[in-house]
Each structure stands twice: as C-alpha cells, then as structure tokens.
Amino acid sequence: MRINGIILAAGLSSRMEAFKPLLKLKDKTIIECSIDSMLGAGVQQVVVVLGHRAQELETVLLSRYEHSRLVLVRNSHYAELDMLSVYLLCRYVTLFSFYLGICLLSIHRLF
C-alpha cells in the first residue's frame, strides 16, 4: 500500500509563543521528528505547507531530506487566512490520487 503524508506547518505559533516546528526535541526539531516518523512508518513522500518563517523552515528541511521525499508548499497568507493551508493542501492532494492513503499531521496539534 502506498501512503503519502501531509504536514500543516504554516501557522504563527501564537499560543505557544515559540515557533513550534523548530523547537528542539533532543537532537531534532519537532518538524524533523514528524517527517522522520512518517517516513519511518512507510510514507513515500511528505507535503509540508509552510507560511510563517517559511524560508527558515525550507532551508532546514531541504538540507536534511531528499527532494524526492519532500514537497514544500507556501501559504503566503498564513497570518490572515489560517484555512488557506487547507485549501493549498487540497490542491496538492491531486498529486496523491494514485495512492491508497494519506497521513495528515498538523504541527500545532502536537501539544
């Protein structure tokens, strides 16, 4: 069975007062732990929706993961329209039309 993953990481992390995707858990960031968990579970490719601090996240992710395993999508209106990430996600779900399953993870739901 082929499964792909989707991580919504475009938010401001305003309730946390720290940028959640880049918080460290031991030797990795939260977003790296999330991606590693998905890849370790057999996910073939992970789509990450970026917004706040997108360039910083993109630099970290592209330095660590093969480009074929990661698709980065930008939500440039993350501050005004939180649900735009879901819309962008839906546009890219068509990439997965030949897959049997999709694993969806929102960074802000980890805590």
Side-chain angles (χ1 to χ4, degrees):
M1 180 158 125
R2 293 182 57 99
I3 300 173
N4 274 353
I6 301 167
I7 298 175
L8 301 177
L12 295 168
S13 299
S14 56
R15 291 180 304 223
M16 184 76 166
E17 297 181 5
F19 190 52
K20 284 178 266 190
L22 293 179
L23 286 176
K24 288 282 190 175
L25 291 174
K26 295 189 180 181
D27 60 337
K28 293 191 259 185
T29 63
I30 289 177
I31 197 160
E32 289 172 306
C33 290
S34 300
I35 292 169
D36 290 347
S37 293
M38 285 184 165
L39 295 175
V43 166
Q44 282 75 36
Q45 190 176 53
V46 179
V47 174
V48 182
V49 180
L50 305 174
H52 182 60
R53 295 173 63 177
Q55 186 60 50
E56 187 177 356
L57 267 171
E58 187 173 305
T59 300
V60 168
L61 297 177
L62 292 178
S63 71
R64 180 140 181 338
Y65 299 98
E66 295 176 34
H67 296 271
S68 63
R69 304 294 304 266
L70 208 57
V71 175
L72 302 179
V73 180
R74 286 197 183 207
N75 173 358
S76 58
H77 301 284
Y78 62 89
E80 304 92 43
L81 302 167
D82 189 34
M83 290 305 293
L84 186 60
S85 290
V86 176
Y87 166 75
L88 290 170
L89 163 71
C90 291
R91 284 187 55 204
Y92 283 87
V93 163
T94 58
L95 292 172
F96 306 127
S97 60
F98 56 93
Y99 287 88
L100 296 176
I102 295 174
C103 177
L104 174 63
L105 177 64
S106 176
I107 288 292
H108 76 280
R109 295 292 180 221
L110 293 177
F111 295 98

